Amino acid sequence: MNREENLAWEKVIGAFMVRFSLVEFEVTRGLIDFTNDDFENLKDLPFSKRVRKFKNNVCHMHLTYAKKKELYRNLEKLDKLASVRNLIAHSPLLLSIRSLMEDRSEGEIQSIRDPDVYLTKEDLSRHLEDLRNQEDVLYELLAEAGFSMAPT
Protein backbone atom coordinates (compact mmCIF):
# COMPACT_ATOMS: atom_id res chain seq x y z
CA MET A 1 0.00 0.00 0.00
CA ASN A 2 1.19 3.48 -0.73
CA ARG A 3 1.47 6.40 1.67
CA GLU A 4 -1.84 7.92 0.58
CA GLU A 5 -3.67 4.64 1.25
CA ASN A 6 -2.01 4.34 4.67
CA LEU A 7 -3.08 7.87 5.57
CA ALA A 8 -6.67 7.09 4.55
CA TRP A 9 -6.62 4.03 6.80
CA GLU A 10 -5.07 6.00 9.67
CA LYS A 11 -7.85 8.57 9.42
CA VAL A 12 -10.72 6.06 9.66
CA ILE A 13 -8.97 3.88 12.28
CA GLY A 14 -8.19 6.93 14.39
CA ALA A 15 -11.72 8.29 14.11
CA PHE A 16 -13.21 4.95 15.12
CA MET A 17 -10.89 4.50 18.09
CA VAL A 18 -11.41 8.07 19.37
CA ARG A 19 -15.20 7.78 19.07
CA PHE A 20 -15.19 4.39 20.78
CA SER A 21 -13.08 5.64 23.68
CA LEU A 22 -15.64 8.41 24.24
CA VAL A 23 -18.47 5.88 24.22
CA GLU A 24 -16.57 3.69 26.66
CA PHE A 25 -16.14 6.69 28.95
CA GLU A 26 -19.86 7.55 28.74
CA VAL A 27 -20.90 3.99 29.57
CA THR A 28 -18.67 4.06 32.65
CA ARG A 29 -19.86 7.52 33.63
CA GLY A 30 -23.46 6.39 33.14
CA LEU A 31 -22.90 3.48 35.49
CA ILE A 32 -21.46 5.83 38.10
CA ASP A 33 -24.29 8.34 37.64
CA PHE A 34 -27.21 5.91 37.57
CA THR A 35 -26.11 3.07 39.87
CA ASN A 36 -24.36 2.70 43.21
CA ASP A 37 -21.11 1.67 41.52
CA ASP A 38 -18.03 3.83 41.71
CA PHE A 39 -15.00 4.10 39.47
CA GLU A 40 -12.88 1.80 41.63
CA ASN A 41 -15.39 -1.03 41.11
CA LEU A 42 -15.67 -0.42 37.37
CA LYS A 43 -12.22 0.55 36.13
CA ASP A 44 -10.89 -2.98 35.65
CA LEU A 45 -14.04 -4.49 34.16
CA PRO A 46 -13.96 -5.24 30.43
CA PHE A 47 -16.30 -3.11 28.34
CA SER A 48 -18.72 -6.01 27.79
CA LYS A 49 -19.15 -6.49 31.55
CA ARG A 50 -19.75 -2.77 32.07
CA VAL A 51 -22.35 -2.85 29.30
CA ARG A 52 -24.02 -5.90 30.89
CA LYS A 53 -24.13 -4.11 34.27
CA PHE A 54 -25.61 -1.04 32.61
CA LYS A 55 -28.24 -3.09 30.74
CA ASN A 56 -29.22 -4.72 34.03
CA ASN A 57 -29.85 -1.27 35.50
CA VAL A 58 -31.70 0.38 32.61
CA CYS A 59 -35.05 -0.69 34.11
CA HIS A 60 -34.36 1.53 37.17
CA MET A 61 -33.70 4.67 35.15
CA HIS A 62 -36.22 7.50 34.94
CA LEU A 63 -37.10 7.03 31.28
CA THR A 64 -40.26 5.95 29.53
CA TYR A 65 -40.55 2.27 28.72
CA ALA A 66 -39.87 3.02 25.04
CA LYS A 67 -36.74 5.00 25.91
CA LYS A 68 -35.50 2.25 28.24
CA LYS A 69 -35.94 -0.23 25.40
CA GLU A 70 -34.06 2.10 23.06
CA LEU A 71 -31.19 2.49 25.54
CA TYR A 72 -31.02 -1.28 26.04
CA ARG A 73 -30.81 -1.83 22.25
CA ASN A 74 -28.24 0.96 21.99
CA LEU A 75 -26.03 -0.71 24.59
CA GLU A 76 -26.33 -4.04 22.75
CA LYS A 77 -25.23 -2.38 19.50
CA LEU A 78 -22.31 -0.67 21.22
CA ASP A 79 -21.26 -4.00 22.71
CA LYS A 80 -21.21 -5.51 19.22
CA LEU A 81 -19.15 -2.58 17.94
CA ALA A 82 -16.58 -3.43 20.62
CA SER A 83 -15.61 -6.43 18.49
CA VAL A 84 -14.63 -4.02 15.71
CA ARG A 85 -12.56 -2.02 18.18
CA ASN A 86 -10.88 -5.23 19.37
CA LEU A 87 -10.16 -6.35 15.83
CA ILE A 88 -8.51 -2.98 15.09
CA ALA A 89 -6.52 -3.02 18.32
CA HIS A 90 -5.23 -6.58 18.03
CA SER A 91 -4.86 -7.15 14.29
CA PRO A 92 -2.49 -5.81 11.68
CA LEU A 93 -3.31 -3.76 8.62
CA LEU A 94 -2.05 -5.90 5.76
CA LEU A 95 -2.15 -6.00 2.02
CA SER A 96 -5.20 -8.06 1.17
CA ILE A 97 -4.50 -11.35 -0.58
CA ARG A 98 -8.14 -11.32 -1.73
CA SER A 99 -7.63 -8.01 -3.50
CA LEU A 100 -4.44 -9.22 -5.20
CA MET A 101 -6.29 -12.22 -6.59
CA GLU A 102 -8.78 -9.78 -8.12
CA ASP A 103 -6.00 -7.62 -9.63
CA ARG A 104 -6.47 -4.91 -7.02
CA SER A 105 -4.13 -3.82 -4.27
CA GLU A 106 -6.00 -2.92 -1.10
CA GLY A 107 -5.36 -3.21 2.58
CA GLU A 108 -7.49 -4.86 5.19
CA ILE A 109 -7.36 -5.43 8.90
CA GLN A 110 -7.19 -9.18 9.31
CA SER A 111 -7.58 -11.21 12.47
CA ILE A 112 -4.46 -13.15 13.38
CA ARG A 113 -6.63 -15.87 14.93
CA ASP A 114 -9.12 -16.27 12.09
CA PRO A 115 -8.23 -15.28 8.51
CA ASP A 116 -11.93 -15.23 7.63
CA VAL A 117 -12.42 -12.27 10.00
CA TYR A 118 -11.30 -9.04 8.37
CA LEU A 119 -12.30 -5.44 7.76
CA THR A 120 -11.98 -3.46 4.58
CA LYS A 121 -11.75 0.31 4.77
CA GLU A 122 -15.32 0.49 3.47
CA ASP A 123 -16.48 -1.92 6.22
CA LEU A 124 -14.75 0.18 8.84
CA SER A 125 -16.25 3.38 7.44
CA ARG A 126 -19.73 1.87 7.77
CA HIS A 127 -18.97 0.78 11.34
CA LEU A 128 -17.71 4.29 12.10
CA GLU A 129 -20.98 5.79 10.86
CA ASP A 130 -22.96 3.31 12.95
CA LEU A 131 -20.80 4.12 15.98
CA ARG A 132 -21.41 7.85 15.53
CA ASN A 133 -25.17 7.23 15.32
CA GLN A 134 -25.17 5.02 18.42
CA GLU A 135 -23.02 7.54 20.27
CA ASP A 136 -25.58 10.27 19.53
CA VAL A 137 -28.40 8.05 20.80
CA LEU A 138 -26.46 7.22 23.96
CA TYR A 139 -25.78 10.90 24.73
CA GLU A 140 -29.39 11.84 24.09
CA LEU A 141 -30.81 9.11 26.32
CA LEU A 142 -28.34 9.64 29.16
CA ALA A 143 -29.06 13.36 29.10
CA GLU A 144 -32.80 12.71 29.15
CA ALA A 145 -32.44 10.28 32.06
CA GLY A 146 -30.28 12.77 33.93
CA PHE A 147 -32.63 15.66 33.40
CA SER A 148 -35.70 13.67 34.38
CA MET A 149 -33.96 12.64 37.61
CA ALA A 150 -33.34 16.28 38.58
CA PRO A 151 -35.39 17.51 41.53
CA THR A 152 -38.55 19.37 40.58
Side-chain angles (χ1 to χ4, degrees):
M1 290 186 309
N2 62 36
R3 180 168 168 69
E4 186 177 301
E5 183 69 14
N6 275 337
L7 289 173
W9 270 100
E10 288 172 11
K11 183 177 178 180
V12 72
I13 288 170
F16 188 93
M17 297 302 277
V18 166
R19 300 267 42 106
F20 200 90
S21 68
L22 292 170
V23 163
E24 195 161 1
F25 171 80
E26 287 301 325
V27 166
T28 303
R29 190 187 70 121
L31 274 167
I32 292 167
D33 289 349
F34 298 110
T35 69
N36 292 326
D37 274 315
D38 62 19
F39 184 70
E40 285 302 311
N41 293 330
L42 300 169
K43 69 180 182 179
D44 294 324
L45 289 179
F47 182 71
S48 62
K49 287 189 178 178
R50 279 180 271 150
V51 167
R52 188 175 323 124
K53 262 179 137 8
F54 206 150
K55 286 178 2 186
N56 290 338
N57 283 283
V58 166
C59 62
H60 303 296
M61 295 175 74
H62 293 280
L63 291 167
T64 65
Y65 177 75
K67 295 287 184 172
K68 288 176 184 179
K69 233 171 121 171
E70 186 179 3
L71 179 56
Y72 192 91
R73 282 194 308 268
N74 172 261
L75 291 166
E76 286 181 330
K77 290 175 183 177
L78 291 171
D79 198 25
K80 287 180 182 165
L81 284 166
S83 66
V84 175
R85 188 265 324 260
N86 292 340
L87 184 61
I88 293 168
H90 302 290
S91 305
L93 172 60
L94 301 169
L95 184 60
S96 166
I97 300 297
R98 284 174 273 282
S99 72
L100 291 176
M101 296 178 96
E102 297 171 3
D103 290 329
R104 298 178 291 121
S105 175
E106 296 177 355
E108 66 185 19
I109 297 172
Q110 184 177 343
S111 170
I112 295 172
R113 295 182 185 142
D114 184 354
D116 291 330
V117 176
Y118 62 91
L119 282 173
T120 66
K121 191 168 50 176
E122 291 74 25
D123 294 334
L124 185 52
S125 294
R126 282 190 296 276
H127 288 304
L128 175 59
E129 186 62 30
D130 187 25
L131 177 60
R132 285 179 173 144
N133 292 334
Q134 296 309 316
E135 180 184 17
D136 289 345
V137 170
L138 179 66
Y139 290 154
E140 177 185 313
L141 292 169
L142 291 179
E144 188 172 328
F147 290 130
S148 60
M149 288 181 71
T152 54

